[in-house]
Amino acid sequence: MNFLEALSQTALIRWVGESDWGYPIVLTSHAIGMALVVGILLMFDLRALGVGSRIPFAAFRTYFPVAWVGLVINVCSGTLLFLINYTAFLHNAAFITKISLLIAAALGTWALARDIAKECGGGISRNTKVLAYACIALWIGAIIAGRIIGYISVPE
Amino acid sequence: MNLSSIAQRMGQSWLGQTARDVFWVFPTAEMLHFLGLCLLMGAMLLVDLRLLGFARSVSIKQTMTFIPVAAFGLALNLFSGIVFLCAYPENYWPSTAFRFKLFAIILGGSNALWFKWAEAPRIELLPESADTDRRTKVVAALSLFIWVVVIVLGRFLPYVSKSSS
């Protein structure tokens, strides 16, 4: 915990937490990063479920780097937001839920991409479709949990 | 009928009252607003990046099958946005950030209609893996730029109005 405390006292984190523009700038980056990662990966899930079914899965190789950029933006902006008030976040059930759902969504997407690569050429199997539905549910769950974080009273 | 009387009516409407009185209505609208944002941006990235020359191996017409997903996302956001407006009109109408955001949404919508009526018919005539011309690329770049601006203005809205009051 001392390490987190030291990080939370750095000039950068204090700027994010205390200046007029720091917080909204980081929050906005977090929303744009979300649009890139969740946006592209939801489209990938929808493609697995049959939307735009003549688009080859290989095409997503061009789009995945956009999702990676979004992921980097959100790991960075998320870390900054977390450090401003890390003790409150660690005690916030919605925050813990959000992080768990994000990890599950990332693992689910990885498994989905692996399954689709295996099934290349043939149709999409029932199990793969179930996985795509699960990924969509996990992303939506993470968004819901993320919104609830602010509504739970956070101990200072 | 001026802006403040419209705002007042929205606040007094059934939707406004419900959004203030029922505790889960406002946060649910927020969740829908974020989900809608992801659907709109995700689908527009697929279409606009292809129009700009990425993923050349994919047929443009195929990426355009995702346009209804973007339209659904936009519809979710218009609906949830109206819930916010009716719940607390005084937080939005006077805010400069909100007015710019509204203007940007109208620009984004007009750009999308221009694409549908002026660019899509020309794309129909292109061979499968052809590149688009500069005019279509400008419309695609504007689409991505405008929707990102809308996200930025929306996130800044509560902070800008706070600091100016």
Side-chain angles (χ1 to χ4, degrees):
Chain A
M1 284 307 149
N2 263 335
F3 176 62
L4 287 178
E5 181 59 32
L7 280 179
S8 73
Q9 294 305 319
T10 55
L12 177 63
I13 301 302
R14 295 178 70 134
W15 175 76
V16 175
E18 291 161 23
S19 67
D20 279 350
W21 293 104
Y23 191 69
I25 287 172
V26 178
L27 212 54
T28 302
S29 315
H30 209 60
I32 292 172
M34 174 190 72
L36 300 181
V37 191
V38 183
I40 293 289
L41 295 182
L42 280 178
M43 297 310 120
F44 182 62
D45 297 333
L46 288 175
R47 168 63 189 85
L49 293 173
V51 180
S53 54
R54 274 169 46 216
I55 297 179
F57 279 105
F60 278 89
R61 274 188 220 134
T62 316
Y63 294 114
F64 279 150
V66 179
W68 281 111
V69 170
L71 181 72
V72 170
I73 293 174
N74 272 20
V75 169
C76 295
S77 55
T79 304
L80 296 178
L81 293 170
F82 169 74
L83 286 172
I84 295 172
N85 200 356
Y86 67 93
T87 40
F89 281 116
L90 289 176
H91 289 99
N92 190 308
F95 174 77
I96 304 296
T97 309
K98 174 182 171 176
I99 299 299
S100 314
L101 288 170
L102 286 177
I103 293 170
L107 290 174
T109 304
W110 172 76
L112 182 65
R114 187 203 52 191
D115 286 1
I116 284 171
K118 261 190 226 156
E119 287 166 19
C120 212
I124 297 298
S125 74
R126 207 189 133 91
N127 283 346
T128 304
K129 287 190 173 173
V130 171
L131 191 54
Y133 277 116
C135 287
I136 292 175
L138 289 167
W139 291 122
I140 294 176
I143 290 175
I144 292 174
R147 286 285 78 202
I148 295 175
I149 293 173
Y151 283 92
I152 296 182
S153 56
V154 281
E156 287 291 323
Chain B
M1 193 140 97
N2 60 22
L3 216 58
S4 66
S5 77
I6 297 173
Q8 208 172 3
R9 275 169 185 236
M10 288 183 109
Q12 288 161 355
S13 66
W14 169 84
L15 187 59
Q17 301 244 334
T18 311
R20 286 187 301 272
D21 295 345
V22 183
F23 77 97
W24 53 263
V25 171
F26 199 90
T28 303
E30 287 184 314
M31 291 157 194
L32 292 176
H33 213 65
F34 274 63
L35 177 63
L37 175 167
C38 290
L39 292 174
L40 174 63
M41 278 304 292
M44 291 326 292
L45 281 166
L46 247 55
V47 179
D48 290 336
L49 288 177
R50 172 61 187 90
L51 292 173
L52 287 169
F54 296 92
R56 222 40 96 65
S57 61
V58 190
S59 123
I60 296 177
K61 282 164 230 168
Q62 279 303 306
T63 64
M64 283 168 63
T65 53
F66 277 89
I67 288 179
V69 177
F72 177 70
L74 182 62
L76 271 183
N77 279 17
L78 290 176
F79 168 73
S80 50
I82 289 170
V83 175
F84 303 148
L85 274 179
C86 289
Y88 304 105
E90 68 282 3
N91 286 357
Y92 300 99
W93 290 109
S95 150
T96 314
F98 172 73
R99 291 181 184 189
F100 276 118
K101 177 173 176 175
L102 208 55
F103 180 65
I105 293 168
I106 292 167
L107 277 184
S110 312
N111 189 58
L113 291 176
W114 173 270
F115 176 80
K116 183 178 161 65
W117 286 323
E119 303 306 319
R122 295 166 67 235
I123 290 167
E124 282 293 316
L125 304 174
L126 289 175
E128 282 283 294
S129 61
D131 196 8
T132 52
D133 61 14
R134 180 175 291 176
R135 201 179 99 179
T136 305
K137 285 192 164 66
V138 169
V139 175
L142 271 178
S143 157
L144 288 180
F145 175 73
I146 292 169
W147 295 123
V148 169
V149 167
V150 169
I151 297 177
V152 172
L153 289 169
R155 280 273 73 182
F156 269 85
L157 209 156
Y159 303 95
V160 174
S161 41
K162 231 183 247 170
S163 59
S164 67
S165 64

